[in-house]
C-alpha cells in the first residue's frame, strides 16, 4: 500500500506547487489544469474544489462556477463565491438571497462589502449608504479611497430626492470630485457642478500621468468626465457646446457601453426633430443589450421615452403605438406620458375624435388626480383646436372645485365672452367669489382674480358683487387706496351710508397734495412747451405793493425784405411748377440712348401699330390721315430757373454721409 500511496501524494504535491506558481503569475487556465490533476486522484479534496471555483471566477466563467458549486454541494462553504458569481451574472436578487439565507451571526468583511454592492445594484440607496458608512468606520486598509468614492456615488443617487440631506464627503481623488459634481447636478446646481468637473478633469490627467498611464487610457477616463460636463452645459441651455462634446466622445468609440448610451441619448434629446437619421442611429446604440445592466432604471426609462418621442417626431404612427405600448407595460409609472404621446400622434393623423376618446378613457380610469387633471387640459386643447368652445367649456365645468382656480376662471370667462354669453361669465365670477368666501381661501395669487372680477361686475352694473370682490381684494392689500376708492364708488350705488363710512378711511385731499406741488405740476415742462411754461410761470409771479412796475420796450425790429432773383420780371407770372422735381414737370423729356434702335417702348400690351403711330421721331410716318397731334410749347421758365441756368459745380471730396 505504501507504493500506491507515495505516487498519489507526490502527484498532489507537485500539482499544488503548479497551482501556486500559475496563480501568482495570473495564468489561471494553467492553474485549472493543475487543479484537475489533483481532483483526478482526490475528487473530494475541499481545497482543490475551492481552487477550481476561484480559477473559474478568474477566467470569468461564472455560470460554470455556479454549476460546479451546486454539483459538489459547496454552497454552504462557499457563500461569498456563489453570491459573487450571481452578482456578476447580473442576478443581484439571487446574490442578496444567498447572503441573507446564510443567516450568519455577523457577516465577514468580504460578504459585507459584497452585500453593500448588491444593494447599490438593486438601487436600494439608503440601505447601501448606511452600510458603507459602517464599513468605512470599522475598516482601515489600503482601499479606503475606493470606499469613499463608492459612498459619494451612492450620495449622488440619493441627491435626486431633494428632501434628503446629503452629508459632506471629503473629496481628494478625481473620482470623488466627479461624484461630488453629480450630487450638485442632481440638485440642479449646474454651474457649480461644471466648475467641479473642470477641476476633476485637470486632476484626472495629472494623476494618470504620474501613474504612467498611456494617452488612450487617459482619454478613456477623461471621456466620462467630459460627457458629464456636456450634460451640465446642455441643462444650462448651451446645446451647441454640449453637442460638440458628445460628438467628439462618440468619435473616440469608448469601450464603456453605458457611456455610449448616455452620450447618444443626450445627443438625440438635443436634435429633437432635426437630424432624424442621425438620431435613429444613436438611439439604437443607447438601446443595445450591452447597456441593459450598466444603466440605472432612471436612465433606461429616459432612453425608452426618448425613443417614443423620436418616433413621434418622424410621424411613424405604427412605431409610436408599438413603442408606447411596450413602454407602458415595462414601466407602468410612465403610462401617462405614453397616453399623451399616442394622443398627439392621433391628432397629427387628423384623428381628433380617437385622441379625445383615448384621453377621456385614461382620465376616468386613472387614480392619480393630478394626471387626470392634466389629461383634461389636453382634451380641452384638442377641442379648441377644432373650434369647439362649448365642448371645452363643458370639460372645464367637469373639473369640480378645481374650476374655481384663478387661471381656470379666467379661461372660462374668456370662452363665455367668445360665445357672447356675458350672463354666464358674470354668474361664474359670482360663484367663484362665494366659493372662496365660504372656504376661507386667501392667497396673494388671488389678487388679480378679485381685481378682474370687480372691474367686470362694475362694467356690468352688478355693484354688490363688485363690492364683495373688492372687499376680498382689500384684505389682501389693505393699504391700496385705489381699491378703497373703487369700493366707495361701488357702495355708493346701493348703500350710501356704508360708502360714507368707508370714505372716511381715504386720506384727506390736503394730505395728498400741497400748494407747492400743484404749482410745480402746473409749471412743469412736460405738460407744455418750454416757452409756454416760462410764460405761465412769469404770469403767476405776484409783485409786492412797493415794487415799481417797469414797462417793457416794444421790439421795433424791422422786417427784412425777401431777396428776389437778378432777372426777376414782375410782369411775367411765376412758373406754377417751380417747386416740382424736374422729372415731374410738363416739359421734362427723358434722354434716350442713341445706341438703341427702338425710339420708344410702349407700356405692356401696346401693339406695334400704336408704337409706330405715337413715334414722334419718325415725322415721315405722319400722313394726312394721321390724327392731329397737339403741339407742345415749353412754358417760359421762371426767373429762378433763368438764374440757375448755369448751375453750381459740386465740389469733389469731403463728402459726408
Amino acid at each position: 500500500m505504501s507504493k500506491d500511496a507515495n505516487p498519489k501524494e507526490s502527484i498532489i504535491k507537485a500539482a499544488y506547487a503548479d497551482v501556486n506558481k500559475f496563480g501568482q503569475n495570473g495564468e489561471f487556465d494553467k492553474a485549472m489544469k493543475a487543479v484537475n490533476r489533483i481532483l483526478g486522484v482526490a475528487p473530494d479534496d475541499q481545497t482543490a474544489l475551492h481552487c477550481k471555483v476561484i480559477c473559474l471566477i478568474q477566467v470569468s466563467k461564472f455560470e460554470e462556477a455556479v454549476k460546479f458549486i451546486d454539483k459538489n454541494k459547496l454552497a454552504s462553504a462557499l457563500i461569498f463565491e456563489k453570491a459573487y458569481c450571481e452578482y456578476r451574472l447580473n442576478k443581484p436578487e439571487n446574490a442578496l438571497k444567498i447572503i441573507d439565507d446564510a443567516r450568519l451571526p455577523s457577516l465577514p468583511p468580504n460578504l459585507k462589502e459584497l452585500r453593500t454592492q448588491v444593494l447599490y445594484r438593486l438601487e436600494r440607496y439608503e440601505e447601501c449608504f448606511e452600510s458603507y458608512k459602517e464599513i468605512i468606520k470599522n475598516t482601515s486598509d489600503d482601499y479606503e479611497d475606493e470606499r469613499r468614492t463608492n459612498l459619494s456615488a451612492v450620495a449622488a443617487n440619493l441627491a435626486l430626492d431633494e428632501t434628503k440631506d446629503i452629508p459632506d464627503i471629503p473629496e481628494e481623488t478625481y473620482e470623488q470630485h466627479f461624484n461630488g459634481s453629480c450630487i450638485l447636478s442632481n440638485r440642479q446646481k449646474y454651474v457649480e457642478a461644471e466648475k467641479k468637473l473642470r477641476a476633476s478633469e485637470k486632476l484626472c490627467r495629472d494623476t494618470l500621468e504620474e501613474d504612467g498611464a498611456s494617452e488612450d487610457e487617459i482619454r478613456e477616463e477623461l471621456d466620462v468626465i467630459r460627457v458629464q460636463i456636456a450634460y451640465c452645459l446642455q441643462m444650462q441651455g448651451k446645446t451647441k457646446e454640449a453637442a460638440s462634446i458628445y460628438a467628439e466622445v462618440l468619435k473616440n468609440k469608448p469601450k464603456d457601453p453605458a457611456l455610449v448610451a448616455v452620450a447618444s441619448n443626450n445627443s438625440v434629446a438635443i436634435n429633437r426633430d432635426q437630424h432624424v437619421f442621425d438620431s435613429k442611429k444613436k438611439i439604437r446604440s443607447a438601446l443595445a443589450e450591452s447597456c441593459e445592466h450598466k444603466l440605472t432604471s432612471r436612465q433606461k426609462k429616459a432612453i425608452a421615452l426618448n425613443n417614443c418621442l423620436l418616433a413621434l417626431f418622424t410621424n411613424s404612427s405604427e412605431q409610436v403605438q408599438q413603442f408606447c405600448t411596450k413602454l407602458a407595460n415595462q414601466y407602468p409609472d410612465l403610462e401617462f406620458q405614453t397616453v399623451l404621446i399616442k394622443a398627439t400622434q392621433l391628432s397629427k393623423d387628423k384623428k381628433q375624435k380617437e385622441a379625445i376618446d383615448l384621453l377621456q378613457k385614461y382620465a376616468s380610469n386613472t387614480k392619480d388626480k393630478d394626471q387626470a387633471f392634466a389629461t383634461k387640459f389636453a382634451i380641452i386643447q384638442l377641442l379648441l383646436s377644432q373650434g369647439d368652445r362649448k365642448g371645452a367649456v363643458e370639460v372645464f365645468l367637469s373639473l369640480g372645485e378645481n374650476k374655481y382656480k384663478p387661471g381656470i376662471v379666467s379661461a372660462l370667462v374668456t370662452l363665455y365672452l367668445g360665445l357672447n354669453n356675458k350672463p354666464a361669465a358674470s354668474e361664474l365670477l359670482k360663484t367663484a367669489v362665494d366659493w372662496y368666501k365660504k372656504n376661507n381661501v386667501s392667497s396673494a395669487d388671488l389678487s388679480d382674480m378679485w381685481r378682474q372680477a370687480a372691474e367686470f361686475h362694475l362694467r356690468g352694473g352688478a355693484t354688490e358683487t363688485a363690492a364683495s370682490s373688492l372687499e376680498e381684494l382689500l384684505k389682501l392689500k389693505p393699504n391700496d387706496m385705489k381699491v378703497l376708492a373703487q369700493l366707495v364708488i361701488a357702495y355708493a350705488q346701493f348703500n350710501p351710508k356704508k360708502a360714507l363710512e368707508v370714505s372716511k378711511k381715504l386720506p384727506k385731499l390736503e394730505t395728498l397734495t400741497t400748494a407747492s406741488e400743484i404749482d410745480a405740476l402746473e409749471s412743469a415742462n412736460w405738460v407744455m412747451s418750454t416757452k409756454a411754461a416760462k410764460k405761465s410761470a412769469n404770469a403767476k409771479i405776484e409783485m409786492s405793493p412797493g415794487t415799481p412796475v417797469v414797462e417793457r420796450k416794444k421790439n421795433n425790429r424791422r422786417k427784412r425784405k425777401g431777396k428776389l432773383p437778378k432777372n426777376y420780371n414782375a410782369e411775367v407770372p411765376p412758373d406754377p411748377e417751380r417747386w416740382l422735381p424736374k422729372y415731374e414737370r410738363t416739359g421734362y423729356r427723358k434722354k434716350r440712348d442713341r445706341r438703341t434702335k427702338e425710339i420708344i417702348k410702349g407700356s405692356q400690351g401696346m401693339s406695334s401699330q400704336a408704337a409706330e403711330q405715337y413715334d414722334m421721331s419718325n415725322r415721315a410716318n405722319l400722313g394726312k390721315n394721321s390724327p392731329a397731334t397737339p403741339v407742345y410749347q415749353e412754358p417760359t421758365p421762371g426767373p429762378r430757373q433763368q438764374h440757375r441756368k448755369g448751375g453750381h459745380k459740386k465740389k469733389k471730396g469731403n463728402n459726408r454721409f
Side-chain angles (χ1 to χ4, degrees):
M1 285 184 68
S2 61
K3 290 182 180 180
D4 294 333
N6 290 332
K8 182 180 177 181
E9 290 178 4
S10 61
I11 291 170
I12 293 172
K13 186 175 181 181
Y16 270 122
D18 290 341
V19 170
N20 184 40
K21 182 181 68 173
F22 292 135
Q24 289 180 352
N25 294 333
E27 299 173 308
F28 294 102
D29 287 324
K30 294 180 180 180
M32 196 184 305
K33 292 178 182 179
V35 171
N36 288 335
R37 291 205 307 269
I38 299 170
L39 294 174
V41 295
D44 296 330
D45 190 331
Q46 296 297 314
T47 305
L49 292 169
H50 192 182
C51 287
K52 183 163 184 180
V53 171
I54 297 299
C55 289
L56 289 169
I57 291 172
Q58 291 293 339
V59 296
S60 300
K61 294 182 178 180
F62 304 109
E63 194 168 351
E64 190 176 339
V66 172
K67 290 179 180 178
F68 185 80
I69 291 170
D70 292 338
K71 181 181 177 181
N72 294 278
K73 299 179 181 179
L74 302 171
S76 59
L78 304 179
I79 298 170
F80 174 81
E81 287 76 5
K82 186 175 181 182
Y84 180 76
C85 289
E86 295 287 356
Y87 171 74
R88 291 299 302 272
L89 288 169
N90 298 313
K91 298 177 181 178
E93 297 88 356
N94 294 351
L96 186 63
K97 188 174 184 302
I98 291 168
I99 297 171
D100 291 343
D101 287 350
R103 295 181 182 178
L104 299 174
S106 61
L107 293 176
N110 59 348
L111 267 178
K112 191 176 287 186
E113 292 211 31
L114 177 60
R115 188 179 186 277
T116 306
Q117 192 64 24
V118 170
L119 290 172
Y120 181 81
R121 180 69 67 83
L122 292 171
E123 299 183 15
R124 292 162 62 172
Y125 298 119
E126 292 184 13
E127 297 177 52
C128 183
F129 189 79
E130 295 299 325
S131 181
Y132 266 127
K133 283 171 63 177
E134 184 183 350
I135 292 170
I136 292 170
K137 184 179 179 181
N138 300 324
T139 309
S140 178
D141 54 22
D142 296 336
Y143 297 100
E144 187 174 352
D145 286 341
E146 284 78 358
R147 293 190 187 97
R148 290 192 182 278
T149 301
N150 291 345
L151 181 68
S152 60
V154 179
N157 286 281
L158 285 174
L160 290 167
D161 187 353
E162 296 182 358
T163 60
K164 296 188 182 300
D165 294 328
I166 306 299
D168 294 332
I169 301 171
E171 297 175 359
E172 298 174 359
T173 63
Y174 71 89
E175 294 99 333
Q176 291 169 2
H177 276 79
F178 176 82
N179 290 335
S181 71
C182 291
I183 293 172
L184 292 171
S185 62
N186 287 340
R187 288 288 167 92
Q188 300 180 1
K189 299 177 181 179
Y190 302 111
V191 177
E192 299 173 28
E194 184 190 348
K195 291 179 182 178
K196 188 162 287 192
L197 285 166
R198 302 286 184 187
S200 174
E201 185 180 15
K202 184 177 183 302
L203 186 59
C204 175
R205 177 170 285 280
D206 295 342
T207 303
L208 295 179
E209 285 178 352
E210 288 178 6
D211 294 343
S214 65
E215 188 60 32
D216 289 340
E217 292 173 342
I218 294 173
R219 190 191 64 217
E220 285 181 12
E221 288 293 322
L222 289 176
D223 280 346
V224 179
I225 301 172
R226 285 170 182 163
V227 167
Q228 190 66 18
I229 291 173
Y231 170 73
C232 292
L233 291 171
Q234 182 179 351
M235 299 308 291
Q236 293 177 58
K238 302 175 182 178
T239 53
K240 289 186 179 179
E241 299 175 37
S244 64
I245 294 174
Y246 291 138
E248 184 182 354
V249 170
L250 291 172
K251 189 178 179 181
N252 294 334
K253 296 182 179 180
K255 297 177 182 178
D256 186 1
L259 184 64
V260 174
V262 171
S264 300
N265 175 73
N266 292 357
S267 297
V268 171
I270 290 174
N271 289 342
R272 295 179 64 83
D273 55 347
Q274 304 295 322
H275 312 293
V276 175
F277 293 107
D278 179 59
S279 294
K280 282 185 175 181
K281 183 180 177 182
K282 286 178 177 175
I283 204 70
R284 281 197 296 269
S285 301
L287 292 168
E289 291 184 6
S290 57
C291 307
E292 179 67 24
H293 303 290
K294 296 286 185 179
L295 301 170
T296 64
S297 61
R298 184 173 66 92
Q299 291 171 327
K300 288 187 280 189
K301 279 182 188 179
I303 293 170
L305 185 59
N306 283 341
N307 188 33
C308 295
L309 290 171
L310 181 61
L312 178 66
F313 285 137
T314 55
N315 286 328
S316 303
S317 301
E318 294 182 3
Q319 287 188 349
V320 168
Q321 301 300 327
Q322 180 185 349
F323 293 160
C324 287
T325 303
K326 182 180 177 181
L327 182 63
N329 294 334
Q330 192 173 2
Y331 302 105
D333 55 325
L334 292 180
E335 185 181 3
F336 172 63
Q337 289 85 344
T338 57
V339 168
L340 290 180
I341 294 172
K342 283 182 179 180
T344 304
Q345 184 59 51
L346 289 170
S347 177
K348 279 187 172 184
D349 296 338
K350 297 182 179 180
K351 298 178 181 178
Q352 276 81 4
K353 188 177 184 306
E354 295 181 25
I356 292 170
D357 292 342
L358 176 66
L359 292 169
Q360 286 177 340
K361 182 180 178 182
Y362 178 78
S364 59
N365 293 336
T366 185
K367 295 180 181 179
D368 192 322
K369 294 182 179 180
D370 293 335
Q371 291 182 359
F373 185 70
T375 306
K376 289 191 176 182
F377 270 91
I379 296 170
I380 291 166
Q381 179 66 29
L382 289 173
L383 290 170
L384 290 175
S385 65
Q386 293 178 317
D388 188 0
R389 295 179 182 175
K390 290 183 178 179
V393 168
E394 290 176 4
V395 178
F396 268 128
L397 295 176
S398 69
L399 295 176
E401 292 186 346
N402 287 324
K403 68 182 177 184
Y404 296 123
K405 289 186 175 181
I408 296 174
V409 170
S410 176
L412 271 171
V413 169
T414 304
L415 287 172
Y416 278 134
L417 293 177
L419 293 169
N420 293 323
N421 194 350
K422 290 184 179 180
S426 178
E427 185 63 29
L428 173 67
L429 288 168
K430 289 179 184 177
T431 311
V433 170
D434 294 338
W435 185 85
Y436 277 105
K437 280 187 175 182
K438 183 180 178 181
N439 292 278
N440 295 323
V441 179
S442 59
S443 171
D445 298 331
L446 300 174
S447 58
D448 288 337
M449 193 192 80
W450 295 130
R451 192 181 299 277
Q452 296 297 331
E455 291 178 359
F456 182 85
H457 287 121
L458 282 173
R459 288 195 301 269
T463 52
E464 293 186 20
T465 309
S468 61
S469 298
L470 290 168
E471 287 172 356
E472 296 297 327
L473 183 58
L474 196 62
K475 291 178 183 177
L476 298 174
K477 297 183 177 182
N479 298 323
D480 194 335
M481 294 297 106
K482 181 181 177 182
V483 176
L484 192 62
Q486 287 180 326
L487 186 60
V488 171
I489 294 170
Y491 279 146
Q493 303 296 323
F494 64 95
N495 194 343
K497 291 183 179 179
K498 200 166 186 180
L500 186 62
E501 292 178 8
V502 175
S503 64
K504 294 177 181 178
K505 297 179 182 179
L506 289 170
K508 294 182 179 180
L509 186 62
E510 291 79 7
T511 60
L512 293 176
T513 55
T514 60
S516 59
E517 289 175 351
I518 294 171
D519 293 340
L521 283 172
E522 288 180 353
S523 62
N525 293 338
W526 56 269
V527 178
M528 57 191 79
S529 65
T530 309
K531 290 182 179 179
K534 288 180 179 178
K535 187 176 179 181
S536 61
N538 293 333
K540 288 193 175 184
I541 297 174
E542 294 182 1
M543 306 294 290
S544 59
T547 306
V549 179
V550 180
E551 292 184 359
R552 290 187 178 183
K553 293 182 179 180
K554 292 184 179 180
N555 189 0
N556 296 325
R557 187 184 297 173
R558 291 186 303 170
K559 290 185 179 180
R560 292 184 180 181
K561 293 183 179 180
K563 291 183 179 180
L564 296 173
K566 291 181 180 180
N567 300 328
Y568 175 70
N569 187 356
E571 297 178 359
V572 178
D575 183 10
E577 297 181 353
R578 62 188 182 280
W579 303 119
L580 294 177
K582 256 187 178 181
Y583 61 88
E584 291 184 9
R585 296 178 188 177
T586 310
Y588 177 72
R589 297 182 69 182
K590 185 178 180 181
K591 292 182 180 180
R592 57 188 177 87
D593 193 349
R594 298 179 182 274
R595 292 173 293 179
T596 57
K597 292 183 179 180
E598 290 185 354
I599 305 302
I600 186 169
K601 290 186 178 180
S603 59
Q604 292 182 0
M606 180 181 288
S607 64
S608 58
Q609 294 178 356
E612 292 176 358
Q613 179 180 352
Y614 292 104
D615 187 359
M616 304 303 295
S617 62
N618 193 358
R619 298 287 180 177
N621 294 335
L622 295 175
K624 295 180 179 180
N625 298 327
S626 62
T629 305
V631 179
Y632 172 79
Q633 289 184 350
E634 188 172 346
T636 307
R640 187 163 297 184
Q641 279 73 21
Q642 293 174 4
H643 175 65
R644 293 187 179 180
K645 192 172 184 181
H648 297 282
K649 291 185 179 179
K650 190 176 181 180
K651 293 183 180 179
K652 294 184 179 179
N654 297 329
N655 292 331
R656 295 185 181 179
F657 298 95

